[in-house]
Amino acid sequence: MIEFQWDWDFAWEVLPLLLDACKITLQATVLGSLLAIVIGLLLALLRRSKWKAVRYSAYWWMEFVRSTPLLVQIYFLYYVAPEWGLNLSPMVTGVLALGMHYGAYLSEVFRSGIDGVDKGQWEASIALNLSPYHTYRDVILPQALRAMIPATGNYIIAMFKETPQLSAITLLEMLQLAKIMGSENFRYLEPFTLVGLIYLVLSLIASAGIRQAERRFPKEGFTLS
Amino acid sequence: MPLNEIFSVLAEGALVTIQLVAMALPLATAMAFISGLLRLSEHRALRWLAAIYVEFFRGTSALIQLYWIYFVLPFFGISIDAITAGVVALGLNIGAYGSEVVRGGLLSVDRGQTEAAIALNFSPRQRLWRIIMPQALVGMMPPFGNLAIELVKATSLVSLITIADLTYRAKSLADMTLQVEEIFGLVLVFYFVMAQVLTLAIRALEKHLGKGMDRGGLA
Amino acid sequence: MSDYAVEFDNVTKQFGDNVLFEQFNFNIRKNEVVSIIGPSGSGKSTLLRILMTLEGIDAGMVRVQGESLWHMQKGGAWLPADERHLRKCRGHMGMVFQHFNLFPHMTVLRNITEAPIHVLGQSKEEARANGLELLRTVGLADKADAYPSQLSGGQKQRVGIARALAMRPSILLLDEITSALDPELVDEVLEVIRKLAAEDAYTMILVTHEMYFAREISDRVCFFDAGAIVEEGPPEQIFNQPKHERTRAFLNSFLNI
Ligand SMILES: Nc1ncnc2c1ncn2[C@@H]1O[C@H](COP(=O)(O)OP(=O)(O)O)[C@@H](O)[C@H]1O
Ligand SMILES: [Mg+2]
């Protein structure tokens, strides 16, 4: 057995590099979240379409994406996109995969948020002769948002924690960097532990932030403008 | 490579994936119940212990935990083979999420049930296992089903520590041949089918456990 | 042995800073049938819940069949009751709840036999035979294998009564057991209680808003307000010549519905 202790010198050497790589992680998370929100809203609306075929396709798409591994979806895009003539960088591939994967989860959040709004609100909007666009924007979504924001936040945190999977397609985010540092120095303890701690701290802070925000939401909902 | 050959290579990988699930699921379930119950314990130290486990494993991701167990533990003299590392990491990770399900499920049972059980002079242990738990289990099933699917999906991560599961074989095949669409398409279908089968099984279990219970009404 | 089945001795009970009972005294004789009436929030349920050990007390002493409920004597000193002591005392009592609280995952018969088997240690056959007998007395022999969700409210409550009786309590605590029922189902439940009261084998404390019923079966009626007994006495006296203005106002509010 090798005598093994925490090596502070090595830890201090790795930490700045890891924090630098954390920017890549955060970049992938932010872009992935934006895409996921767009896809999620789109799917949620498709699932309320008046055509049964559209509703069913949207449902099964969601079900399919949610029940297959993110890692395989990442590989799929990474290997198949070039076949289709698209040469995507690891970052773009990663953002697309994260956005698609979490978009499926978010669509369910959005759908149940929208369904949670009192039926009378739709009827009132019809009575006021509001267009569907204004009904969603001014009446439904502001009320649905309160229920949707915490769950959305939690999925974004989940996405953040899953970005290390992008190391599988050589994106140089935190975990990939830690792995390289580890194998070069034959010491995995410090880099992997630090990565874990960075994730732990950031996600605990983010969760606390969501809980705080949840407490402060106005009960009446928001005005979108 | 002909499609049926691809299929049989992948099917072998699927078998490995199923084995991983079969080993990690009992561990995850045990951890979920133990830590979920500890979080409701009267003893503060036990509650804390369980809370730390849950926060720790939910605050980082399965892949990092897997790497830590596989790459770091050997340096402490705990050598661990890839399969064990995979099972332990996934079991502990999913178990931490399951802990919340167990806790929430137990808390969601109507307070009147405990009161009736006290009035009938059941012991605290009997109250939990005969009265509260059987009712709580029914409500726990749908989130447990989701977690089981998360577990199936998470097994794909073990391909990154060279276990020849479904994902690993797909990637090696893709590197070897150029039939990437067929390979990854097929793999996605494999995972999807596994998830659907699991969902059906858990729905059946939920129905069995909830026999006679008309949820929502007063009993 | 004390002549009383239940004794409250200078009991104080508070919820946070809210004092509900202060130096509260109340005794109930063996096999007495006592009805408790009074406005909502006056402490009627809390009284029963203290007896059933669902609520603790802050001062004073409660005795059940002469035995102190919330305290136990150990080596000459009084200590707070532990679970074992509480379990010994609970055996004297049975409770029927306003919202039934039947176990939804068990059949009707198992609702009744579960505690006798696992708490009293009865054999399955014995518990089953007793359970079926009890179901016959409450008129539900044909529902043994049904689940609670398949019963009407009145039927559920009759199962609730049978379940409590199966533990062979000497004291029955009934907390507004007909309040959650549709009016047409009230009588079938009261009929069961009427029969039990006639047996003269139980000490019964019933919290109720069924004034005619209280008058008919009670040995004593107590009017509660704000955690105190404002007036008590034989039913004829309370209902015909209430002395207290508050009692009169409360009873009038019932006549005027
Ligand atoms: N668990 C509790 N926490 C705080 N206050 C309570 C609790 N239970 C009862 N109370 C208060 O005690 C008073 C008496 O309640 P209760 O005994 O239920 O009255 P009743 O059954 O006569 O309607 C009420 O004011 C109620 O608000
Ligand atoms: Mg009450």
Side-chain angles (χ1 to χ4, degrees):
Chain A
M1 178 188 140
I2 316 160
E3 181 67 30
F4 221 82
Q5 288 177 351
W6 182 263
D7 181 344
W8 281 107
D9 291 340
F10 184 44
W12 284 119
E13 187 189 327
V14 194
L15 187 60
L17 299 171
L18 286 177
L19 290 176
D20 212 38
C22 187
K23 285 184 205 148
I24 304 278
T25 301
L26 291 175
Q27 192 187 350
T29 308
V30 170
L31 294 176
S33 315
L34 292 177
L35 183 61
I37 289 171
V38 171
I39 291 178
L41 271 178
L42 197 69
L43 280 175
L45 294 181
L46 289 179
R47 284 186 63 190
R48 301 182 62 92
S49 156
K50 47 182 166 231
W51 293 291
K52 206 172 173 182
V54 174
R55 287 202 303 270
Y56 273 61
S57 316
Y59 171 79
W60 282 108
W61 170 262
M62 178 199 75
E63 191 67 17
F64 188 82
V65 171
R66 290 204 309 180
S67 50
T68 50
L70 175 63
L71 182 60
V72 179
Q73 291 166 10
I74 294 171
Y75 281 144
F76 187 93
L77 283 177
Y78 191 65
Y79 281 89
V80 176
E83 297 278 300
W84 296 344
L86 294 167
N87 274 311
L88 308 174
S89 70
M91 177 56 102
V92 173
T93 309
V95 167
L96 285 178
L98 290 173
M100 249 172 36
H101 195 74
Y102 281 92
Y105 283 95
L106 288 186
S107 73
E108 186 65 16
V109 172
F110 297 160
R111 190 192 59 85
S112 64
I114 292 170
D115 282 356
V117 175
D118 187 56
K119 294 277 173 291
Q121 298 291 312
W122 294 96
E123 290 165 9
S125 303
I126 292 170
L128 290 171
N129 208 10
L130 290 179
S131 69
Y133 170 75
H134 276 99
T135 303
Y136 272 109
R137 203 198 78 160
D138 297 334
V139 181
I140 304 302
L141 285 182
Q143 299 182 60
L145 225 48
R146 189 186 148 82
M148 286 169 2
I149 285 185
T152 305
N154 286 331
Y155 278 123
I156 290 175
I157 295 175
M159 173 191 292
F160 166 65
K161 287 184 295 187
E162 287 208 294
T163 47
Q165 294 189 30
L166 300 180
S167 65
I169 52 168
T170 72
L171 183 72
L172 202 60
E173 46 65 68
M174 277 196 282
L175 190 66
Q176 177 74 349
L177 184 79
K179 203 174 166 194
I180 293 170
M181 299 292 295
S183 64
E184 277 177 1
N185 296 279
F186 303 106
R187 291 184 69 89
Y188 285 105
L189 173 63
E190 292 83 3
F192 280 159
T193 306
L194 285 174
V195 173
L197 287 177
I198 293 172
Y199 270 106
L200 191 63
V201 168
L202 289 179
S203 58
L204 284 178
I205 291 173
S207 305
I210 290 173
R211 274 198 297 274
Q212 270 297 317
E214 201 175 353
R215 231 170 275 153
R216 290 195 188 166
F217 283 152
K219 279 232 164 50
E220 311 74 48
F222 299 83
T223 329
L224 298 182
S225 51
Chain B
M1 201 188 273
L3 211 54
N4 62 342
E5 255 175 66
I6 293 180
F7 185 92
S8 66
V9 173
L10 292 179
E12 273 173 50
L15 223 56
V16 175
T17 295
I18 290 169
Q19 281 168 357
L20 280 165
V21 172
M23 288 188 286
L25 203 56
L27 177 61
T29 310
M31 288 309 293
F33 276 92
I34 292 169
S35 65
L37 285 168
L38 285 184
R39 290 197 76 181
L40 298 172
S41 155
E42 297 172 1
H43 304 286
R44 184 190 298 228
L46 294 178
R47 283 202 305 271
W48 270 84
L49 193 72
I52 289 172
Y53 158 67
V54 170
E55 290 301 330
F56 210 81
F57 277 87
R58 296 190 341 152
T60 56
S61 60
L63 183 55
I64 294 174
Q65 289 148 23
L66 180 66
Y67 276 8
W68 208 92
I69 288 172
Y70 187 63
F71 290 109
V72 177
L73 281 189
F75 286 84
F76 290 107
I78 305 168
S79 61
I80 194 167
D81 63 290
I83 296 269
T84 312
V87 169
V88 169
L90 298 177
L92 292 181
N93 181 271
I94 299 293
Y97 287 89
S99 172
E100 293 291 284
V101 174
V102 171
R103 179 169 164 271
L106 289 171
L107 289 177
S108 74
V109 175
D110 182 45
R111 170 83 198 143
Q113 293 293 310
T114 303
E115 296 191 344
I118 292 174
L120 290 169
N121 218 351
F122 285 108
S123 70
R125 187 171 297 181
Q126 288 171 327
R127 277 176 231 157
L128 173 64
W129 293 106
R130 294 191 175 277
I131 308 299
I132 305 303
M133 189 61 87
Q135 299 179 53
L137 275 178
V138 185
M140 290 179 201
M141 280 305 131
F144 271 157
N146 291 338
L147 283 180
I149 292 173
E150 291 302 321
L151 174 62
V152 173
K153 289 161 59 182
T155 57
S156 68
L157 300 176
V158 300
S159 66
L160 298 172
I161 56 169
T162 71
I163 295 176
D165 76 326
L166 184 51
T167 304
Y168 183 90
R169 283 178 207 238
K171 189 167 179 300
S172 342
L173 275 180
D175 287 333
M176 252 164 30
T177 73
L178 290 172
Q179 296 153 287
V180 290
E181 283 160 316
E182 293 94 319
I183 293 167
F184 284 113
L186 211 51
V187 168
L188 286 171
V189 171
F190 264 109
Y191 277 111
F192 181 68
V193 170
M194 285 191 251
Q196 293 302 314
V197 170
L198 213 50
T199 304
L200 289 179
I202 287 180
R203 266 199 211 132
L205 190 59
E206 181 189 355
K207 208 167 158 201
H208 171 74
L209 290 171
K211 200 169 147 220
M213 279 171 68
D214 168 24
R215 301 212 291 128
L218 286 171
Chain C
M1 262 302 249
S2 159
D3 286 337
Y4 293 113
V6 170
E7 297 158 86
F8 281 72
D9 220 344
N10 286 320
V11 169
T12 298
K13 168 70 188 172
Q14 50 194 62
F15 292 105
D17 290 336
N18 256 344
V19 180
L20 178 59
F21 296 129
E22 198 170 8
Q23 303 271 311
F24 178 80
N25 290 291
F26 187 40
N27 295 334
I28 294 171
R29 286 187 313 279
K30 292 202 160 108
N31 294 352
E32 191 180 13
V33 176
V34 176
S35 290
I36 297 176
I37 59 174
S40 157
S42 55
K44 307 180 299 292
S45 294
T46 305
L47 181 91
L48 298 193
R49 291 168 58 80
I50 288 173
L51 284 171
M52 199 61 258
T53 72
L54 300 173
E55 291 283 357
I57 58 174
D58 297 292
M61 187 166 273
V62 176
R63 274 183 292 271
V64 169
Q65 305 294 19
E67 201 170 3
S68 95
L69 181 63
W70 283 104
H71 305 82
M72 55 183 194
Q73 222 163 1
K74 225 173 200 167
W78 287 101
L79 297 174
D82 60 12
E83 180 66 25
R84 203 158 123 211
H85 178 82
L86 290 177
R87 285 195 74 196
K88 205 171 78 193
C89 297
R90 279 181 203 132
H92 297 302
M93 289 167 290
M95 185 160 185
V96 183
F97 297 86
Q98 180 176 357
H99 293 291
F100 328 129
N101 297 353
L102 297 184
F103 304 132
H105 58 302
M106 298 179 184
T107 61
V108 163
L109 186 60
R110 238 190 103 196
N111 259 279
I112 298 172
T113 59
E114 189 78 356
I117 293 171
H118 297 287
V119 176
L120 300 181
Q122 287 179 8
S123 72
K124 285 206 170 110
E125 296 70 35
E126 186 189 359
R128 205 185 138 76
N130 286 338
L132 288 172
E133 178 58 36
L134 280 167
L135 278 177
R136 254 191 300 281
T137 38
V138 300
L140 288 173
D142 55 330
K143 296 290 183 190
D145 296 322
Y147 281 92
S149 60
Q150 299 161 326
L151 304 183
S152 74
Q155 293 171 329
K156 282 180 196 173
Q157 197 55 297
R158 284 185 277 156
V159 175
I161 295 168
R163 183 175 73 169
L165 292 177
M167 294 299 283
R168 306 186 189 284
S170 56
I171 304 169
L172 276 178
L173 310 171
L174 313 169
D175 190 2
E176 297 196 28
I177 60 170
T178 56
S179 296
L181 300 181
D182 293 334
E184 71 273 18
L185 301 177
V186 167
D187 279 339
E188 65 187 49
V189 173
L190 293 184
E191 184 51 39
V192 173
I193 302 300
R194 192 174 279 129
K195 269 196 264 171
L196 285 176
E199 281 179 33
D200 203 28
Y202 298 100
T203 305
M204 287 169 60
I205 312 178
L206 50 130
V207 171
T208 185
H209 291 305
E210 304 289 337
M211 296 303 157
Y212 288 99
F213 185 68
R215 175 184 207 145
E216 173 197 334
I217 72 157
S218 310
D219 299 317
R220 178 159 53 128
V221 175
C222 301
F223 172 64
F224 263 58
D225 196 15
I229 301 173
V230 173
E231 184 166 357
E232 60 177 325
E236 301 75 36
Q237 181 197 320
I238 299 291
F239 289 111
N240 295 345
Q241 295 125 9
K243 289 199 186 73
H244 224 280
E245 181 51 41
R246 272 191 285 171
T247 318
R248 247 173 277 154
F250 176 75
L251 291 174
N252 276 336
S253 73
F254 268 85
L255 293 177
N256 294 341
I257 303 176

